[in-house]
Amino acid sequence: MERYSSRRKLTAGQRDGILFLMALILVVLFYRNFPKKEVELNAPVLDDEMRCQIELLDNLRRERQMKSRVVIYPFNPTFLNDYRGYILGLPPVAVDRISAFRESGNWINSLEQFQMVTQLSDSVMERIAPYLELPEFLQNSGKPRQVVKETSLIGDLNTATQEDFIQIRGIGSVKSKQIKTFRERIGGFAHMHELYAIYGLDAELIKRIKSRFTLDQPRSVDLIRVNQASASDLATIPGIGYEVARSIWLERRKIGGFKNWSELRSIPEIGLREFALIEVYLSLE
């Protein structure tokens, strides 16, 4: 009788299938029992310059939002100042020309004269014309109005009272309080130029204050090295906003550092007002 083996031989395909199944089981068991490690994701580290740029962008965004909400009322073009020029989008040099024209004792008598002094284009004049309002007596006057000069001294700028400031023509209770509050906030004036940082004081009014007050004991100032300062450092100067500070910082990087004051003055965003403040707080060292 023919004997049969009790073991049944497996084909090559069956053996491969069994091996594959065992390998798959081992892989599943390995991953199920393998200890899971939590992956720690480190937040990106921002350097000082990157943080400064983010801060500048945030402040510029807020400034634009505030600017879009500002309501401009018609005003006498003779009294165009830095604030109105900024809101109307005028170049600082146009404001400087009006300031120089006004300080020489002249008044704007017509829109044509305003355009001639500021050298603005026809398209810009057409855009801002609704905001320029000439008083009737100036429209009908053929001669520029002369400004009466006051020369008698009142006292020291750092010790003057609100009543002292009110003696200046053009300064009332509101502006006198602004000057006193600003003086207290900065710890006393270091230079007459700091008056340019006070909102509402134009060049003509500041000129009157300078002619009637002295500054015998100015406060000391730690100068900021413009060639080493960050944009945030520059923005701490009273009256200098983030936009001007950023322009200074970008220009410095572009030219590799400022060598003289004329290079700073050539920046389009810096007018007479900004430059007067910069001279008080910055150093070229």
Side-chain angles (χ1 to χ4, degrees), residues 17-79:
I18 292 173
L19 290 175
F20 175 77
L21 181 60
M22 292 178 64
L24 183 61
I25 293 172
L26 290 174
V27 170
V28 172
L29 291 174
F30 175 78
Y31 278 102
R32 287 188 61 183
N33 298 320
F34 189 77
K36 297 180 180 179
K37 294 183 179 180
E38 295 183 358
V39 179
E40 297 181 357
L41 298 177
N42 295 326
V45 179
L46 301 178
D47 57 18
D48 292 339
E49 293 297 339
M50 181 68 72
R51 191 177 295 107
C52 175
Q53 287 296 315
I54 294 174
E55 183 180 351
L56 285 173
L57 290 174
D58 290 340
N59 283 279
L60 286 173
R61 189 181 302 110
R62 283 193 291 269
E63 282 188 10
R64 290 192 182 95
Q65 291 174 351
M66 291 178 61
K67 184 177 177 180
S68 63
R69 294 195 296 265
V70 173
V71 178
I72 307 176
Y73 296 98
F75 63 92
N76 188 332
T78 301
F79 297 103

Side-chain angles (χ1 to χ4, degrees), residues 105-228:
N106 297 316
W107 286 58
I108 297 296
N109 296 315
S110 65
L111 295 183
E112 291 76 14
Q113 186 183 27
F114 177 82
Q115 183 177 12
M116 180 184 68
V117 173
T118 57
Q119 300 180 22
L120 295 174
S121 64
D122 293 339
S123 59
V124 174
M125 285 298 301
E126 184 178 355
R127 176 173 59 84
I128 68 173
Y131 304 106
L132 306 179
E133 184 176 69
L134 291 166
E136 185 176 352
F137 74 91
L138 283 179
Q139 293 179 5
N140 299 328
S141 174
K143 297 181 179 180
R145 181 176 175 179
Q146 299 296 321
V147 178
V148 178
K149 296 184 178 180
E150 301 167 335
T151 56
S152 59
L153 292 176
I154 297 176
D156 187 88
L157 190 62
N158 275 335
T159 58
T161 64
Q162 287 186 232
E163 290 72 19
D164 292 331
F165 291 126
I166 291 176
Q167 295 184 46
I168 302 295
R169 180 166 51 90
I171 295 182
S173 58
V174 175
K175 284 187 172 63
S176 63
K177 185 177 181 180
Q178 282 181 301
I179 298 172
K180 185 173 181 293
T181 301
F182 178 80
R183 183 183 66 191
E184 293 173 351
R185 180 167 63 85
I186 64 175
F189 289 99
H191 196 283
M192 290 282 191
H193 286 345
E194 288 180 300
L195 291 167
Y196 284 98
I198 302 175
Y199 172 76
L201 299 187
D202 56 26
E204 182 178 349
L205 198 51
I206 291 174
K207 184 178 180 180
R208 293 179 199 161
I209 296 174
K210 289 180 178 180
S211 67
R212 305 292 300 280
F213 289 93
T214 60
L215 190 58
D216 299 326
Q217 295 182 344
R219 86 175 193 283
S220 60
V221 175
D222 294 329
L223 297 179
I224 300 173
R225 295 184 177 182
V226 65
N227 286 324
Q228 300 177 12

Side-chain angles (χ1 to χ4, degrees), residues 251 255 257-267 270:
E251 183 67 16
I255 66 176
F258 296 103
K259 300 178 181 63
N260 51 63
W261 292 111
S262 60
E263 291 178 334
L264 270 167
R265 184 65 182 87
S266 64
I267 298 175
I270 296 181

